[in-house]
Amino acid sequence: MKWLTLLREACPAVAMATLGCAGLAKAYTADDFLDSLAGWQTIPDAMDLPIAVLLPSIEWGLLLAYVMLPARRRLLVRMAAGLLVAFSAMLFVESVVNEAPMCNCFGKLLRRERVLDGISGMLWRNFLLVALLAPAWFRDHSGSADVRP
């Protein structure tokens, strides 16, 4: 059962680290991220700059809080999953309404990714990250796994 406990701890940590890295990559290539937001039809133009500033801060902040506040990890994991689900929904709507957008989620790290492959790839990556976060949802506040009959 130790491997199960390790899995419950490691999966959300990997997903949170990935989210934090995405935030750092967006912040490092802020101009490219802002330019990519300008191409989205579902985001009002007035929101491009606030999103470009706040989203990387939120992603990095979630990772820092996850590391520094172990008692709040369950809440932080749910917030991260909500962020990923909301972004995935916006991405799906944008790809239906407009041509496939470039999200620049990982800055220049994935710059060679093709746009059409990028949409399905981004949705699969987000699904995988949410799946990695899921084990942390089934934990009680004391840190031990919930046992339900």
Side-chain angles (χ1 to χ4, degrees), residues 84-132:
L84 288 165
V85 169
F87 172 73
S88 297
M90 286 184 62
L91 179 68
F92 178 76
V93 169
E94 180 69 24
S95 65
V96 169
V97 171
N98 193 18
E99 63 186 46
M102 286 301 292
C103 80
N104 261 346
C105 296
F106 287 94
K108 294 187 185 260
L109 293 176
L110 299 178
R111 67 176 174 247
R112 296 188 196 322
E113 189 173 19
R114 295 188 323 220
V115 174
L116 293 178
D117 289 343
I119 296 300
S120 62
M122 283 182 273
L123 291 174
W124 278 111
R125 269 194 308 268
N126 289 351
F127 173 77
L128 177 61
L129 288 172
V130 170
L132 286 172

Side-chain angles (χ1 to χ4, degrees), residues 43-109:
I43 300 174
D45 292 338
M47 293 301 296
D48 289 349
L49 184 59
I51 290 172
V53 171
L54 289 175
L55 186 59
S57 302
I58 290 169
E59 290 173 336
W60 181 240
L62 283 170
L63 174 61
L64 284 177
Y66 185 83
V67 170
M68 298 175 74
L69 303 169
R72 298 287 182 218
R73 285 185 176 166
R74 189 173 180 182
L75 172 65
L76 294 166
V77 161
R78 288 179 177 176
M79 291 170 64
L83 183 68
L84 288 165
V85 169
F87 172 73
S88 297
M90 286 184 62
L91 179 68
F92 178 76
V93 169
E94 180 69 24
S95 65
V96 169
V97 171
N98 193 18
E99 63 186 46
M102 286 301 292
C103 80
N104 261 346
C105 296
F106 287 94
K108 294 187 185 260
L109 293 176

